[in-house]
Amino acid sequence: MQKIHSHAYGYAHKVKPTLDLLGMEAAYEEILQIEQWTKNVGKKKEIKEIYKSLSSRVDSALAEIKKDFSL
């Protein structure tokens, strides 16, 4: 596995339980796609849109949590 793929897998694997715990189903599905991409050693362009979507979902969730808890 290439270096970028092993790093991506490590991060995806760490984040996956949190997304599941928070009930972020769409983001959870996207993280599964990223994990599969790392296993297939896919090309960057194949995963860019999924990463952008996942990043946007996580950013939105963080903003909502900060707002809800006045952080």
Side-chain angles (χ1 to χ4, degrees):
M1 195 181 299
Q2 294 176 338
K3 187 175 182 178
I4 190 169
H5 291 85
S6 62
H7 279 43
Y9 178 81
Y11 291 126
H13 193 69
K14 285 182 182 180
V15 170
K16 186 171 65 173
T18 303
L19 297 177
D20 189 33
L21 180 69
L22 293 174
M24 296 177 66
E25 295 172 13
Y28 185 79
E29 290 300 319
E30 290 170 337
I31 210 73
L32 291 177
Q33 289 178 315
I34 290 173
E35 275 190 331
Q36 188 59 49
W37 172 81
T38 65
K39 291 176 185 177
N40 294 341
V41 191
K43 293 182 175 21
K44 278 186 185 180
K45 66 181 179 181
E46 298 169 341
I47 204 69
K48 279 186 178 182
E49 291 305 314
I50 293 170
Y51 174 78
K52 285 180 187 177
S53 176
L54 175 63
S55 181
S56 175
R57 290 179 198 282
V58 170
D59 288 345
S60 294
L62 285 172
E64 191 173 324
I65 289 168
K66 285 178 181 181
K67 179 182 170 193
D68 289 349
F69 292 97
S70 302
L71 300 174

Coordinates of all heavy atoms in Angstrom, one line a residue:
M1 N 0.9 -1.2 0.0 CA 0.0 0.0 0.0 C 0.9 1.2 0.0 O 1.8 1.3 0.8 CB -0.9 0.0 1.2 CG -2.0 0.9 1.2 SD -3.1 0.9 2.6 CE -3.8 -0.7 2.7
Q2 N 0.6 2.2 -0.9 CA 1.4 3.4 -0.9 C 1.2 4.2 0.4 O 0.2 4.0 1.1 CB 0.9 4.2 -2.1 CG 1.2 3.6 -3.4 CD 0.7 4.5 -4.6 OE1 -0.2 5.3 -4.4 NE2 1.2 4.3 -5.8
K3 N 2.2 5.1 0.6 CA 2.2 5.9 1.8 C 0.9 6.7 2.0 O 0.3 6.7 3.1 CB 3.4 6.8 1.8 CG 3.6 7.6 3.1 CD 4.8 8.4 3.1 CE 5.0 9.1 4.4 NZ 6.3 9.8 4.4
I4 N 0.4 7.3 0.9 CA -0.8 8.2 1.1 C -2.0 7.3 1.4 O -2.9 7.7 2.2 CB -1.1 9.0 -0.2 CG1 -2.2 10.0 0.0 CG2 -1.4 8.1 -1.4 CD1 -2.3 11.0 -1.1
H5 N -2.0 6.1 0.8 CA -3.2 5.2 1.1 C -3.1 4.7 2.5 O -4.2 4.6 3.2 CB -3.2 4.0 0.1 CG -3.5 4.5 -1.3 ND1 -2.5 5.0 -2.1 CD2 -4.7 4.5 -1.9 CE1 -3.1 5.3 -3.3 NE2 -4.4 5.0 -3.2
S6 N -1.9 4.4 3.0 CA -1.9 3.9 4.4 C -2.2 5.0 5.4 O -2.9 4.7 6.4 CB -0.5 3.3 4.7 OG 0.5 4.3 4.6
H7 N -1.8 6.2 5.2 CA -2.2 7.3 6.0 C -3.7 7.5 6.0 O -4.4 7.7 7.0 CB -1.5 8.6 5.6 CG -0.1 8.7 6.1 ND1 0.8 7.7 6.1 CD2 0.5 9.8 6.6 CE1 1.9 8.1 6.6 NE2 1.8 9.4 6.9
A8 N -4.3 7.5 4.8 CA -5.7 7.7 4.6 C -6.5 6.6 5.3 O -7.5 6.9 6.0 CB -6.1 7.8 3.1
Y9 N -6.0 5.4 5.2 CA -6.7 4.3 5.9 C -6.6 4.5 7.4 O -7.7 4.3 8.1 CB -6.1 2.9 5.5 CG -6.7 1.8 6.3 CD1 -7.9 1.3 5.8 CD2 -6.2 1.3 7.4 CE1 -8.5 0.2 6.5 CE2 -6.8 0.3 8.1 CZ -8.0 -0.2 7.7 OH -8.6 -1.2 8.4
G10 N -5.5 4.9 7.9 CA -5.4 5.1 9.4 C -6.3 6.1 9.9 O -7.0 5.9 10.9
Y11 N -6.4 7.2 9.2 CA -7.3 8.3 9.6 C -8.8 7.8 9.5 O -9.6 8.1 10.4 CB -7.1 9.6 8.8 CG -5.8 10.2 9.1 CD1 -4.9 10.6 8.1 CD2 -5.5 10.6 10.4 CE1 -3.7 11.2 8.4 CE2 -4.2 11.2 10.7 CZ -3.4 11.5 9.7 OH -2.2 12.1 10.0
A12 N -9.1 7.2 8.4 CA -10.5 6.7 8.2 C -10.9 5.7 9.2 O -12.0 5.8 9.8 CB -10.6 6.1 6.8
H13 N -10.0 4.8 9.5 CA -10.3 3.8 10.5 C -10.5 4.4 11.9 O -11.4 3.9 12.7 CB -9.1 2.8 10.6 CG -9.5 1.6 11.3 ND1 -10.4 0.6 10.9 CD2 -9.0 1.1 12.5 CE1 -10.5 -0.4 11.7 NE2 -9.6 -0.1 12.7
K14 N -9.8 5.5 12.3 CA -9.9 6.1 13.6 C -11.2 6.9 13.6 O -11.9 7.0 14.7 CB -8.8 7.1 13.8 CG -7.5 6.4 14.2 CD -6.4 7.4 14.5 CE -5.1 6.7 14.8 NZ -4.0 7.7 15.1
V15 N -11.6 7.5 12.5 CA -12.8 8.4 12.5 C -14.1 7.6 12.4 O -15.2 8.0 12.9 CB -12.7 9.4 11.3 CG1 -14.0 10.1 11.1 CG2 -11.6 10.4 11.6
K16 N -14.1 6.4 11.8 CA -15.3 5.6 11.5 C -16.2 5.4 12.7 O -17.4 5.6 12.7 CB -14.9 4.3 10.9 CG -16.0 3.5 10.4 CD -15.6 2.3 9.6 CE -14.7 1.3 10.4 NZ -14.4 0.1 9.6
P17 N -15.6 5.0 13.9 CA -16.5 4.7 15.1 C -17.2 6.0 15.5 O -18.3 5.9 16.0 CB -15.6 4.2 16.1 CG -14.3 3.8 15.4 CD -14.2 4.6 14.2
T18 N -16.5 7.1 15.5 CA -17.1 8.4 15.9 C -18.3 8.8 15.0 O -19.4 9.2 15.5 CB -16.1 9.5 15.9 OG1 -15.0 9.1 16.7 CG2 -16.7 10.8 16.4
L19 N -18.2 8.6 13.7 CA -19.3 8.9 12.8 C -20.4 8.0 13.1 O -21.6 8.4 13.1 CB -18.8 8.8 11.4 CG -17.7 9.7 10.9 CD1 -17.3 9.4 9.5 CD2 -18.1 11.2 11.0
D20 N -20.2 6.7 13.3 CA -21.2 5.8 13.7 C -21.9 6.2 15.0 O -23.1 6.2 15.0 CB -20.6 4.4 13.7 CG -21.7 3.3 13.9 OD1 -22.8 3.5 13.3 OD2 -21.4 2.3 14.5
L21 N -21.1 6.5 16.0 CA -21.7 6.9 17.3 C -22.6 8.1 17.2 O -23.6 8.2 17.9 CB -20.5 7.1 18.3 CG -20.9 7.5 19.7 CD1 -21.6 6.3 20.4 CD2 -19.7 8.0 20.5
L22 N -22.2 9.1 16.4 CA -22.9 10.3 16.2 C -24.1 10.1 15.3 O -24.9 11.1 15.1 CB -22.0 11.4 15.7 CG -20.9 11.9 16.7 CD1 -20.0 12.9 16.0 CD2 -21.5 12.5 18.0
G23 N -24.3 9.0 14.7 CA -25.4 8.7 13.8 C -25.3 9.5 12.5 O -26.3 9.7 11.8
M24 N -24.1 9.7 12.1 CA -23.8 10.4 10.8 C -23.7 9.4 9.7 O -22.7 9.0 9.2 CB -22.6 11.3 10.9 CG -22.7 12.4 11.9 SD -21.1 13.3 12.1 CE -21.0 14.1 10.5
E25 N -24.9 8.9 9.3 CA -25.0 7.7 8.4 C -24.3 8.0 7.0 O -23.6 7.2 6.5 CB -26.4 7.3 8.2 CG -27.0 6.7 9.5 CD -28.5 6.5 9.4 OE1 -29.0 6.5 8.3 OE2 -29.1 6.3 10.4
A26 N -24.6 9.1 6.4 CA -24.0 9.5 5.1 C -22.5 9.6 5.2 O -21.8 9.0 4.3 CB -24.6 10.7 4.5
A27 N -22.0 10.2 6.2 CA -20.6 10.4 6.4 C -19.9 9.0 6.7 O -18.8 8.7 6.2 CB -20.3 11.4 7.6
Y28 N -20.6 8.2 7.5 CA -20.1 6.8 7.7 C -20.0 6.0 6.4 O -19.0 5.4 6.2 CB -21.1 6.1 8.7 CG -20.6 4.8 9.1 CD1 -19.6 4.6 10.1 CD2 -21.1 3.6 8.6 CE1 -19.2 3.4 10.5 CE2 -20.6 2.4 9.0 CZ -19.7 2.3 9.9 OH -19.2 1.0 10.3
E29 N -21.0 6.1 5.6 CA -20.9 5.4 4.3 C -19.7 6.0 3.5 O -19.0 5.2 2.8 CB -22.2 5.6 3.5 CG -23.4 4.8 4.1 CD -23.1 3.3 4.2 OE1 -22.6 2.7 3.3 OE2 -23.5 2.7 5.3
E30 N -19.5 7.3 3.5 CA -18.4 7.8 2.8 C -17.0 7.4 3.3 O -16.1 7.1 2.6 CB -18.5 9.4 2.8 CG -19.6 9.9 1.9 CD -19.9 11.3 2.1 OE1 -19.5 11.9 3.1 OE2 -20.5 11.9 1.1
I31 N -17.0 7.3 4.7 CA -15.7 6.8 5.2 C -15.4 5.4 4.9 O -14.3 4.9 4.6 CB -15.6 7.0 6.8 CG1 -14.2 7.3 7.3 CG2 -16.2 5.9 7.6 CD1 -13.6 8.6 6.9
L32 N -16.5 4.6 4.7 CA -16.3 3.2 4.3 C -15.8 3.2 2.8 O -15.0 2.3 2.5 CB -17.7 2.4 4.4 CG -18.2 2.1 5.8 CD1 -19.5 1.4 5.7 CD2 -17.2 1.3 6.6
Q33 N -16.3 4.1 2.0 CA -15.8 4.2 0.6 C -14.3 4.6 0.6 O -13.6 4.0 -0.2 CB -16.6 5.2 -0.2 CG -18.0 4.7 -0.5 CD -18.8 5.8 -1.2 OE1 -18.8 6.9 -0.8 NE2 -19.5 5.4 -2.2
I34 N -13.9 5.4 1.5 CA -12.5 5.9 1.6 C -11.7 4.7 2.0 O -10.6 4.4 1.4 CB -12.3 7.1 2.5 CG1 -13.0 8.3 1.8 CG2 -10.9 7.3 2.8 CD1 -13.0 9.5 2.7
E35 N -12.1 3.9 3.0 CA -11.4 2.7 3.4 C -11.2 1.8 2.2 O -10.1 1.2 2.0 CB -12.1 2.0 4.6 CG -11.7 2.6 5.9 CD -12.3 1.7 7.0 OE1 -13.3 1.0 6.9 OE2 -11.6 1.7 8.1
Q36 N -12.3 1.5 1.5 CA -12.2 0.6 0.4 C -11.3 1.1 -0.7 O -10.5 0.4 -1.3 CB -13.6 0.4 -0.2 CG -13.7 -0.7 -1.3 CD -13.2 -2.1 -0.7 OE1 -13.7 -2.5 0.3 NE2 -12.3 -2.7 -1.4
W37 N -11.3 2.4 -0.9 CA -10.4 3.0 -1.9 C -8.9 2.8 -1.5 O -8.1 2.5 -2.3 CB -10.7 4.5 -2.0 CG -9.7 5.3 -2.8 CD1 -9.7 5.4 -4.1 CD2 -8.6 6.1 -2.3 NE1 -8.6 6.3 -4.5 CE2 -7.9 6.7 -3.4 CE3 -8.1 6.4 -1.0 CZ2 -6.8 7.5 -3.3 CZ3 -7.0 7.2 -0.9 CH2 -6.4 7.7 -2.0
T38 N -8.6 2.9 -0.2 CA -7.3 2.7 0.3 C -6.9 1.2 0.0 O -5.7 0.9 -0.3 CB -7.1 3.0 1.8 OG1 -7.8 2.2 2.6 CG2 -7.4 4.5 2.0
K39 N -7.8 0.3 0.3 CA -7.5 -1.1 0.1 C -7.2 -1.4 -1.4 O -6.4 -2.3 -1.7 CB -8.6 -2.0 0.6 CG -8.7 -1.9 2.1 CD -9.8 -2.7 2.7 CE -9.9 -2.5 4.2 NZ -11.1 -3.2 4.7
N40 N -8.0 -0.7 -2.3 CA -7.8 -0.9 -3.7 C -6.7 -0.2 -4.3 O -6.4 -0.3 -5.5 CB -9.1 -0.5 -4.5 CG -10.3 -1.4 -4.1 OD1 -10.1 -2.5 -3.6 ND2 -11.5 -0.9 -4.3
V41 N -6.0 0.7 -3.5 CA -4.9 1.6 -3.9 C -5.4 2.4 -5.1 O -4.7 2.4 -6.2 CB -3.6 0.8 -4.2 CG1 -2.5 1.7 -4.3 CG2 -3.3 -0.2 -3.0
G42 N -6.5 3.0 -5.0 CA -7.1 3.8 -6.1 C -6.3 5.1 -6.3 O -5.5 5.5 -5.5
K43 N -6.7 5.7 -7.4 CA -6.1 7.0 -7.8 C -6.8 8.1 -7.0 O -7.9 8.1 -6.7 CB -6.2 7.2 -9.3 CG -5.5 6.2 -10.2 CD -5.6 6.6 -11.6 CE -4.9 5.8 -12.6 NZ -4.3 4.6 -12.4
K44 N -6.0 9.2 -6.8 CA -6.5 10.4 -6.0 C -7.8 10.9 -6.6 O -8.8 11.2 -5.9 CB -5.5 11.5 -5.9 CG -4.5 11.3 -4.9 CD -3.6 12.6 -4.8 CE -2.5 12.5 -3.9 NZ -1.7 13.7 -3.8
K45 N -7.8 11.0 -7.9 CA -9.0 11.7 -8.6 C -10.3 10.8 -8.3 O -11.4 11.4 -8.4 CB -8.8 11.9 -10.1 CG -8.6 10.6 -10.9 CD -8.4 10.9 -12.3 CE -8.2 9.6 -13.1 NZ -7.9 9.8 -14.5
E46 N -10.1 9.6 -8.0 CA -11.3 8.7 -7.8 C -12.0 9.0 -6.5 O -13.1 8.7 -6.3 CB -10.9 7.2 -7.8 CG -10.4 6.8 -9.2 CD -9.7 5.4 -9.1 OE1 -9.4 4.9 -8.0 OE2 -9.5 4.8 -10.2
I47 N -11.3 9.6 -5.5 CA -11.8 9.8 -4.2 C -12.0 11.2 -3.8 O -12.6 11.5 -2.8 CB -10.9 9.0 -3.2 CG1 -11.6 8.7 -1.9 CG2 -9.6 9.9 -2.9 CD1 -12.6 7.6 -2.0
K48 N -11.6 12.2 -4.6 CA -11.7 13.6 -4.3 C -13.0 14.1 -3.9 O -13.2 14.8 -2.9 CB -11.1 14.4 -5.4 CG -9.6 14.5 -5.4 CD -9.1 15.5 -6.5 CE -7.6 15.6 -6.4 NZ -7.1 16.6 -7.4
E49 N -14.1 13.7 -4.7 CA -15.4 14.2 -4.4 C -16.0 13.6 -3.1 O -16.7 14.3 -2.4 CB -16.3 13.9 -5.6 CG -16.0 14.7 -6.8 CD -16.0 16.2 -6.6 OE1 -17.0 16.7 -5.9 OE2 -15.1 16.9 -7.0
I50 N -15.7 12.4 -2.9 CA -16.1 11.7 -1.6 C -15.5 12.4 -0.5 O -16.1 12.7 0.6 CB -15.9 10.2 -1.6 CG1 -16.8 9.5 -2.7 CG2 -16.1 9.6 -0.3 CD1 -16.4 8.1 -3.0
Y51 N -14.2 12.7 -0.6 CA -13.5 13.4 0.5 C -14.1 14.8 0.8 O -14.3 15.2 1.9 CB -12.0 13.5 0.2 CG -11.3 14.3 1.3 CD1 -11.0 13.8 2.5 CD2 -11.0 15.6 1.0 CE1 -10.4 14.5 3.5 CE2 -10.4 16.4 2.0 CZ -10.1 15.9 3.2 OH -9.5 16.6 4.2
K52 N -14.3 15.5 -0.3 CA -14.9 16.8 -0.2 C -16.3 16.8 0.5 O -16.5 17.6 1.4 CB -15.1 17.5 -1.5 CG -13.8 18.0 -2.2 CD -14.1 18.6 -3.5 CE -12.8 18.9 -4.2 NZ -13.1 19.5 -5.6
S53 N -17.1 15.8 0.2 CA -18.4 15.7 0.8 C -18.3 15.3 2.3 O -18.9 15.9 3.1 CB -19.2 14.6 0.0 OG -20.4 14.4 0.7
L54 N -17.4 14.4 2.6 CA -17.2 14.0 3.9 C -16.7 15.1 4.8 O -17.1 15.4 5.9 CB -16.2 12.8 4.0 CG -15.8 12.3 5.4 CD1 -17.0 11.8 6.2 CD2 -14.7 11.3 5.3
S55 N -15.7 15.8 4.2 CA -15.1 17.0 4.9 C -16.2 18.0 5.2 O -16.3 18.6 6.3 CB -14.0 17.6 4.1 OG -13.4 18.7 4.8
S56 N -17.1 18.3 4.3 CA -18.1 19.3 4.5 C -19.1 18.8 5.6 O -19.5 19.6 6.4 CB -18.9 19.4 3.1 OG -20.0 20.3 3.3
R57 N -19.5 17.5 5.6 CA -20.4 17.0 6.6 C -19.8 17.1 8.0 O -20.5 17.5 8.9 CB -20.7 15.5 6.3 CG -21.5 15.3 5.1 CD -21.7 13.8 4.9 NE -22.2 13.5 3.6 CZ -23.4 13.6 3.1 NH1 -24.4 14.1 3.9 NH2 -23.7 13.3 1.9
V58 N -18.5 16.8 8.1 CA -17.8 16.9 9.4 C -17.7 18.3 9.9 O -18.0 18.6 11.0 CB -16.5 16.2 9.4 CG1 -15.7 16.4 10.6 CG2 -16.6 14.7 9.2
D59 N -17.4 19.2 9.0 CA -17.3 20.6 9.3 C -18.6 21.2 9.8 O -18.7 21.9 10.8 CB -16.8 21.5 8.1 CG -15.3 21.3 7.8 OD1 -14.6 20.7 8.7 OD2 -14.9 21.7 6.7
S60 N -19.7 20.8 9.1 CA -21.1 21.2 9.5 C -21.4 20.7 10.9 O -22.0 21.4 11.7 CB -22.1 20.7 8.5 OG -21.9 21.4 7.2
A61 N -21.1 19.4 11.1 CA -21.4 18.8 12.4 C -20.7 19.5 13.5 O -21.2 19.8 14.6 CB -21.1 17.3 12.4
L62 N -19.4 19.8 13.3 CA -18.6 20.5 14.3 C -19.2 21.9 14.6 O -19.2 22.3 15.8 CB -17.1 20.6 13.8 CG -16.3 19.3 13.9 CD1 -14.9 19.6 13.3 CD2 -16.1 18.9 15.4
A63 N -19.6 22.6 13.6 CA -20.1 23.9 13.8 C -21.4 23.8 14.6 O -21.7 24.6 15.5 CB -20.4 24.6 12.4
E64 N -22.2 22.8 14.3 CA -23.5 22.6 15.0 C -23.2 22.3 16.5 O -23.9 22.8 17.4 CB -24.3 21.5 14.4 CG -25.7 21.4 14.9 CD -26.5 20.4 14.1 OE1 -26.3 20.3 12.9 OE2 -27.4 19.8 14.7
I65 N -22.2 21.4 16.7 CA -21.9 21.1 18.1 C -21.4 22.3 18.9 O -21.8 22.5 20.0 CB -20.9 19.9 18.1 CG1 -21.5 18.6 17.7 CG2 -20.2 19.8 19.5 CD1 -20.6 17.5 17.4
K66 N -20.5 23.1 18.2 CA -20.0 24.3 18.9 C -21.1 25.2 19.2 O -21.1 25.9 20.3 CB -18.9 24.9 18.0 CG -17.6 24.2 17.9 CD -16.7 24.9 17.0 CE -15.4 24.1 17.0 NZ -14.4 24.8 16.1
K67 N -22.1 25.4 18.3 CA -23.2 26.3 18.5 C -24.1 25.8 19.7 O -24.4 26.5 20.6 CB -24.0 26.4 17.3 CG -25.2 27.3 17.4 CD -26.0 27.3 16.1 CE -27.3 28.0 16.3 NZ -28.2 27.8 15.2
D68 N -24.4 24.5 19.7 CA -25.2 23.9 20.7 C -24.7 24.0 22.1 O -25.4 24.1 23.1 CB -25.5 22.4 20.3 CG -26.4 22.2 19.1 OD1 -27.0 23.2 18.7 OD2 -26.6 21.1 18.7
F69 N -23.3 23.9 22.2 CA -22.7 23.9 23.5 C -21.9 25.2 23.8 O -21.1 25.2 24.7 CB -21.8 22.7 23.6 CG -22.5 21.4 23.6 CD1 -22.6 20.6 22.5 CD2 -23.1 20.9 24.8 CE1 -23.3 19.4 22.5 CE2 -23.7 19.7 24.8 CZ -23.9 19.0 23.7
S70 N -22.2 26.2 23.0 CA -21.6 27.5 23.2 C -20.1 27.4 23.3 O -19.5 28.0 24.2 CB -22.2 28.2 24.4 OG -23.6 28.4 24.2
L71 N -19.4 26.7 22.4 CA -18.0 26.5 22.5 C -17.3 27.5 21.6 O -17.7 27.9 20.6 CB -17.6 25.1 22.1 CG -18.2 24.0 22.9 CD1 -17.9 22.6 22.3 CD2 -17.7 24.1 24.3

